[in-house]
Amino acid sequence: MTRQSHIDSLPTDPASGWVLAHVLRMDGYVPGEQPRDGRYVKLNTNENPYPPSPRALEAMRAAIDERLRLYPDPLATPLREAAAERHGVGPEWVLAGNGSDDLLTILVRTFAAAGDAIIYPMPSYILYRTLAEIQGARPVEVPYQSDWSLDAARFATEAAATGARLAFLANPNSPSGTALKPDAVADLARRLDIPLVVDEAYADFAEADCMALVAELPNVLVTRSFSKGYGLAGLRVGYLVAHPDLVANLTKVKDSYNLDRLATVGAAAALADTAYREQTRARIVATRARLTAALRRLGYQVPDSQANFVWCTGGPPATAVYEALKARGILVRLMRYAGHPPGLRISVGTDAEIDTLLAALGEIVAVAGGSTS
Ligand SMILES: *Cc1c(COP(=O)(O)O)cnc(C)c1O
């Protein structure tokens, strides 16, 4: 066989020849912009505006040596033990992930086969849809009610009707920042006979969380992230808490070494630094209250947020406002959901960043109001 005849047999468009049909059809998840230069006031991806715990940085510096030659602990044991202690469970209830997104992937691969349904409320974290699509599973989206409460009976009926194998609930939710109370989540879990993943990426900013439900209800699994509450988005660490039988099976599905050595020690040290976490949380919660009030004075509708961002609708056309802010060096997240007008999701930055945002937004809204009246 000559080389030429081999080349002739290759498709001219390699992707359409080889990539699985369901992947070809996908749009893929589009993360918020991460500009490479630091000239933007960056309020678009809910990073913590404050640096990570100095103890976490110190622990990681101390781990940068010849031991990097060796593979890390497959279960990130120091982190697993620190998380278990924090939540009053045994380490066998905890699984660490390379960001909580890694855990969401593991959950989908463990519970849903191609063709199965995965159910979650909408508008919410778009990655749930992407993960379902990658798996060849069917996304089933149940709308939130207009006050961001969830009709649990309807959700359970849809889950049963579609034969869903897995449910996601971002709580606090993105983009709304609202949260269902633990009682409402427990009620939802009791109506379902499938795993309910409570994605608590923003629980560090909320008044309540659902961690206590895990021991009570075997179908509740809770995920946490170091990206928002701990200011460690760049490190990529999260963990989940679930019944040990579930954790044992999820462990089979994960990558062997899903956390690196530095991430394991850094996250464990950050978790132990409770005082630092409380301090940054208090600052963000105070700035959030000020931002919410100011946006409402500008005419925006802003639900009370339990997260480190706020959701703004009802002002001048959101796309134009997003562009005008970007032109002034301020990045916020423009969100579009089918059936909803576009809105702006604004991360709670430092007080100085929020002052800059509010000054710019005040001018943009005044001009937009003047031009339409
Ligand atoms: C940011 C976010 C995540 C991802 O967190 P990582 O730990 O950075 O992977 C998961 N869920 C929701 C709802 C988020 O907003």
Side-chain angles (χ1 to χ4, degrees):
M1 203 163 63
T2 68
R3 187 173 162 74
Q4 189 55 45
S5 68
H6 170 69
I7 299 277
D8 286 346
S9 70
L10 291 177
T12 49
D13 173 358
S16 67
W18 294 328
V19 175
L20 295 174
H22 72 276
V23 176
L24 274 179
R25 277 195 305 270
M26 286 178 55
D27 290 328
Y29 182 75
V30 183
E33 296 160 88
Q34 302 293 351
R36 303 222 18 212
D37 51 41
R39 60 191 175 86
Y40 283 99
V41 173
K42 196 169 174 307
L43 303 173
N44 66 332
T45 51
N46 302 342
E47 288 129 331
N48 199 304
Y50 301 110
S53 155
R55 291 196 200 168
L57 298 178
E58 201 180 303
M60 288 188 278
R61 275 189 210 104
I64 300 179
D65 58 28
E66 50 80 26
R67 285 171 296 174
L68 287 173
R69 184 174 62 78
L70 302 169
Y71 280 110
D73 182 326
L75 291 170
T77 301
L79 170 60
R80 193 184 203 204
E81 288 175 345
E85 192 183 315
R86 176 174 176 201
H87 300 298
V89 295
E92 69 280 8
W93 290 71
V94 179
L95 180 65
N98 182 25
S100 55
D101 286 350
D102 178 37
L103 297 164
L104 301 178
T105 298
I106 293 167
L107 289 159
V108 168
R109 294 171 73 188
T110 301
F111 293 116
D116 287 341
I118 297 176
I119 190 167
Y120 50 88
M122 212 52 192
S124 189
Y125 191 30
I126 301 294
L127 187 70
Y128 305 144
R129 182 189 298 160
T130 307
L131 293 177
E133 288 173 349
I134 293 169
Q135 190 73 348
R138 282 176 296 132
V140 176
E141 302 181 343
V142 179
Y144 273 108
Q145 306 191 94
S146 56
D147 64 352
W148 295 100
S149 65
L150 187 65
D151 183 340
R154 176 175 175 189
F155 192 93
T157 304
E158 289 267 331
T162 56
R165 301 296 306 245
L166 178 61
F168 284 116
L169 176 73
N171 204 54
N173 184 47
S174 173
S176 61
T178 54
L180 304 186
K181 297 222 157 62
D183 283 354
V185 176
D187 171 60
L188 177 64
R190 288 196 186 94
R191 292 169 188 268
L192 298 172
D193 57 2
I194 55 173
L196 171 64
V197 176
V198 185
D199 176 345
E200 291 195 343
Y202 298 105
D204 297 298
F205 307 102
E207 283 159 16
D209 65 71
C210 293
M211 199 55 93
L213 299 182
V214 174
E216 230 175 279
L217 298 165
N219 64 332
V220 173
L221 302 85
V222 172
T223 60
R224 290 286 177 96
S225 173
F226 284 80
S227 300
K228 284 51 183 257
Y230 295 82
L232 285 168
L235 200 60
R236 311 304 306 131
V237 188
Y239 60 86
L240 68 74
V241 181
H243 190 281
D245 292 350
L246 296 177
V247 169
N249 282 282
L250 293 163
T251 304
K252 298 177 196 167
V253 173
K254 80 176 188 72
D255 285 352
S256 309
Y257 304 107
N258 58 334
L259 263 80
D260 66 60
R261 283 175 164 268
L262 303 182
T264 302
V265 299
L271 195 60
D273 198 349
T274 312
Y276 186 84
R277 180 174 67 246
E278 289 301 324
Q279 192 187 317
T280 54
R281 171 202 155 97
R283 294 169 84 175
I284 288 166
V285 167
T287 309
R288 181 179 76 196
R290 192 165 74 81
L291 172 62
T292 302
L295 290 167
R296 286 177 183 160
R297 279 197 298 275
L298 287 176
Y300 281 100
Q301 284 157 28
V302 186
D304 283 326
S305 172
Q306 296 276 304
N308 67 335
F309 58 85
V310 295
W311 176 233
C312 311
T313 56
T319 309
V321 175
Y322 160 83
E323 293 293 353
L325 286 171
K326 189 171 178 180
R328 291 165 185 245
I330 302 168
L331 271 187
V332 300
R333 188 85 179 261
L334 175 69
M335 304 290 249
R336 305 164 190 278
Y337 297 93
H340 296 260
L344 301 175
R345 197 190 67 185
I346 304 177
S347 308
V348 179
T350 62
D351 279 308
E353 287 173 327
I354 293 306
D355 288 340
T356 304
L357 166 87
L358 288 172
L361 196 57
E363 289 173 20
I364 293 164
V365 168
V367 170
S371 67
T372 53
S373 61

